[in-house]
Structures are given as structure tokens and as C-alpha cells.
Amino acid sequence: MNKRIFVAVIILALLLPAVLVSAQDDVVTVTWWATERGRDTAATRDMHFTLARTFEESHPNIRVALALYPSRGFATRVLTAIAAGEGPDVFYHYFAPDVANQGFLEDLTPYLEESGAAANWFPAGVNRGMYQGQTYAVPRDAVSGFIAYNKDLFDAAGVLYPEEGWTIAEFRELANELTNRDEDIYGVGAIVGGEGCMLWSPFSFNLGGEITSPDGRDVVGYMDTPETAAAMTWCLELVTEDQVTAPAELQDQFGELVFLSGNVAMQSISDWELAAITEQADFNWGVVAPPRADENSEVVPWTDSYMYYMWNGSPRKEAAWELIEWLSGPEAQRIAAEAGVWAPNGPAIWEELGWDEDAIRSVSYNQLINSERVPNYLRSQYFWDCVAGPLSDVRVRWIEGGERDVAAMLAEAAPLAQACLDDNYGE
């Protein structure tokens, strides 16, 4: 062997371990915490790991340490870890925007101003992450609320399927017409019939009532109005007066997606439930846009999204942002959509996949492009501590106590909820 070549080989051999160590030192590991819910399919877990590994392929100097936890108690787990100085670099959840004032979230505004990514998202997803003009979260996905209906039950009853443009009164008429308690068939299931009807369903806005102010800090003047009382009464009458809602034992068996029992004609759902219905339903079904208040009004969409957050104590912020930017970007959004796990956070991927014209997905798409509202239960970080309890008490008093004056009950509930909010906000 040529002497010079021999010397070069020896030098390279001596330097190679140091080069490898240096390269290894440049690799950053980002922790990403995610969740699994009871309604999630096996594809959900697989897709998370697909996202992590695909990201690593295009970002060779970043490794993703992914951890999946049960959704119940997830926020407590995250906050406990952050309090101990061991929080995840990146995680997703559905905090109210004003949780940012607690100080544990990174302000993502500078990153977004440089990337311009927010221009690609549905408006409601952008609003979900904003607090006092700054952005602290970016949308993982995008969902809207609409109505799923069991075609087999409609056919058996000789009833025409609901169509876009129907009204809330027509929804109620159909629910009564399709209910046959002797045959264990019910017009509606889950959410509709309790306070969920006023919170996380398309009825929440189309019934004309509100629970909180736009910033979530006021309930007096919202929860206790005649419009909200009328809306809440409508929801509760489905349970007691009409008796069209699925019984508790059926919901205990099938959970919140009682529609899968095959015994429920209609249920308010969102894109989050579509994967489970598509995989598990053993009957023919379809979806339709939410009913509007009356023939003189337009549908007011209910939309939502999970949000990606960065812990402001992360020692790897640049790498964490690269992961968030990629996860909320087109490649990751396409992977999740094609896996059937969650819906993309912006219209471009919907259109690329043909979802804007799909018989099922287009119903949601048309809601998402017309929505900017944040759901009323996501406007205040203290909603569940202060407002949910008094509101739930109204349902209990109606159903178990036989009380019927919803206006009077809400008039009692609103000051209690307001006092709690004021105390937490220091007002």
C-alpha cells in the first residue's frame, strides 16, 4: 500500500471515533407526549409512531421520544411534570386559550411570524391558540359537529333521511317519529338531552343561548338569559317530556358513542368519532349538516381542535418547534388523514384528498370554512371548576328533582358560577 495512503487510513481510523461522538452529541432528543382515548382505534397508536419516525427521517439530528398516555387525567400528568421541572417539550391537549396566563406555555408568535404557517389553518384553529394577541398553541387537527343518522332505522320506519337546511323543530319531530321504546329504538343518543347539548354539540349555538361571554370571564348576562333558559329547556325536554333519548344502561354499554349500538336513529358527532363509526358500525349510516334554528336563519357551526403546545421550560426549544411545525404542517396532516385518525387542520389538505366533495367529509368541511367561534366551554380555563357544576345541577334538578323552571334555576346558578370565576381571576 502507498505510504501516504497508509498514513491517511491510520489518521482516519484514529479520528473516526471522535467524529462519531461529535455527531452523536449533535443529536437532540425531543419528548412528545400524546394521548389515547377509549374511542380511538388501533390505527391511532400506530399513526403516532409513524409520525415520529417520518419526522426523524427528514430531521436526522432530532430524535422523538414519544409517550402515549390515557386521555383521562392527562392534563394533570402534564402539569405535575412541569411543576417538577420535567415537562414534555411538546404535547397536545385542549386547554382554554387563557391558560397561557399561568406561564408554563411558550409564546409561539415569533416562530409563526417567521414560518407563516397560520395562514394555512382553519380560522377557528387559529383562534383556539390565541391569547391577548399572542399565539401559544397551534392546531393538531380540525373537527366540526354534525348529525350522524342510521339509514336502516329510517328505512324501517319509512321516514325520509334528513337533508341540509333542516331545522331544529324538524330534528325534534324526527326524533319522536323514530322512537319506539317497546322495540328499544331511540331517536337520539348521548350529548343531546343534557348540558352537553349546550356545550359540545352544534345545538349549542343554533338554539340561540350562550353560557359565557366571548372571553369566558362572565356568565351573568349569558347563562341566565331567557334565550339560554329556552335552549336548555329544549334539551332537557328530549329526555323527560319526549323520552326520545337512549337510556343510561345503553350508554353505559356503548359509552358516549351510543350510536354504534344500532338502536339510535340520530346522534350529534364530530370528525373525532368518524374513525370508530367507519370501523365498527354494522349498519348503513350517513351524516348531515346540523339543523338551523329556523327557516329564516343560517347554521352556526360548532368547531374545535386539539392543540400542540411547547413547554416554556424546554431546554430544546428550537428542536421542539421544528417538531411542532412539522406536525402541524402538510406532510404530517396528510399522514394522519390518510390513516383515518384525525382530520387536517387546514382546507388545502381536505381539498387535495377530495374531502371537500366527499359525501361524509364535505359536511364537516363546509362547517369548518365558515367558523371562527371558540366553543363556550373552552373560553375560560376555569370553566370546569366554576361553571360546569352549577350548569350540571340544573339537569339534575330537572331530571331527578322534577323541577321545571329552568329560568329560575339558571338565575341561581349564574351568580354562583360568576363568583367562582371572579375569585379565580382576582376580580
Side-chain angles (χ1 to χ4, degrees), residues 19-358:
V19 171
L20 291 174
V21 169
S22 177
Q24 190 174 25
D25 287 344
D26 289 339
V27 174
V28 176
T29 298
V30 173
T31 55
W32 173 27
W33 287 10
T35 67
E36 290 182 291
R37 304 188 65 159
R39 64 189 173 203
D40 287 338
T41 63
T44 300
R45 169 174 283 270
D46 294 340
M47 187 274 306
H48 278 88
F49 286 97
T50 296
L51 289 175
R53 302 294 84 83
T54 304
F55 170 80
E56 290 174 340
E57 290 173 5
S58 58
H59 298 74
N61 292 325
I62 302 176
R63 294 290 177 265
V64 179
L66 170 64
L68 285 169
Y69 296 101
S71 61
R72 188 177 297 277
F74 180 70
T76 300
R77 181 185 293 271
V78 170
L79 296 177
T80 300
I82 287 174
E86 300 174 351
D89 299 308
V90 175
F91 61 99
Y92 63 70
H93 195 56
Y94 42 87
F95 289 120
D98 73 348
V99 77
N101 67 20
Q102 291 194 22
F104 62 87
L105 297 179
E106 179 73 3
D107 182 356
L108 302 179
T109 306
Y111 302 96
L112 286 168
E113 288 177 347
E114 183 176 345
S115 73
N120 301 320
W121 305 329
F122 289 111
V126 175
N127 293 342
R128 280 281 287 108
M130 294 192 70
Y131 178 65
Q132 295 185 343
Q134 303 297 104
T135 299
Y136 292 87
V138 304
R140 183 199 76 171
D141 55 8
V143 303
S144 79
F146 43 92
I147 307 299
Y149 62 93
N150 185 320
K151 292 183 176 181
D152 292 347
L153 294 182
F154 273 79
D155 292 343
V159 177
L160 295 177
Y161 304 149
E163 296 182 350
E164 184 174 354
W166 60 327
T167 65
I168 283 174
E170 291 170 333
F171 173 91
R172 188 168 182 172
E173 290 171 7
L174 284 175
N176 278 278
E177 189 172 0
L178 290 159
T179 297
N180 185 337
R181 301 182 71 83
D182 292 335
E183 298 293 329
D184 203 25
I185 302 298
Y186 307 94
V188 298
I191 294 173
V192 179
E195 62 269 27
C197 177
M198 298 292 298
L199 301 178
W200 52 85
S201 85
F203 295 99
S204 60
F205 295 141
N206 289 290
L207 284 168
E210 276 282 19
I211 304 299
T212 76
S213 59
D215 64 2
R217 295 193 174 210
D218 295 304
V219 290
V220 170
Y222 294 90
M223 180 192 285
D224 52 357
T225 62
E227 293 79 11
T228 302
M232 188 71 171
T233 299
W234 184 91
C235 296
L236 293 168
E237 284 181 345
L238 295 175
V239 181
T240 53
E241 270 60 25
D242 294 5
Q243 298 185 27
V244 296
T245 56
E249 55 268 24
L250 194 63
Q251 297 197 44
D252 289 342
Q253 182 179 356
F254 288 92
E256 61 187 30
L257 198 48
V258 71
F259 183 68
L260 284 175
S261 67
N263 295 62
V264 171
M266 298 181 290
Q267 179 170 338
S268 171
I269 68 164
S270 73
D271 299 81
W272 285 325
E273 287 78 49
L274 283 179
I277 295 176
T278 300
E279 182 176 295
Q280 300 173 34
D282 58 2
F283 52 84
N284 296 309
W285 58 280
V287 302
V288 64
R292 51 187 174 152
D294 54 50
E295 294 179 351
N296 298 315
S297 62
E298 298 293 330
V299 171
V300 182
W302 174 97
T303 59
D304 197 4
S305 61
Y306 273 79
M307 306 298 290
Y308 285 116
Y309 304 92
M310 185 195 304
W311 173 38
N312 68 356
S314 168
R316 298 166 285 272
K317 291 182 180 180
E318 292 298 327
W321 169 248
E322 287 191 54
L323 177 59
I324 290 177
E325 184 179 30
W326 186 85
L327 287 171
S328 60
E331 184 177 4
Q333 294 293 305
R334 192 178 300 111
I335 290 172
E338 291 176 344
V341 173
W342 60 61
N345 60 13
I349 305 300
W350 289 66
E351 294 161 8
E352 176 187 316
L353 296 171
W355 284 14
D356 57 322
E357 298 179 355
D358 179 78

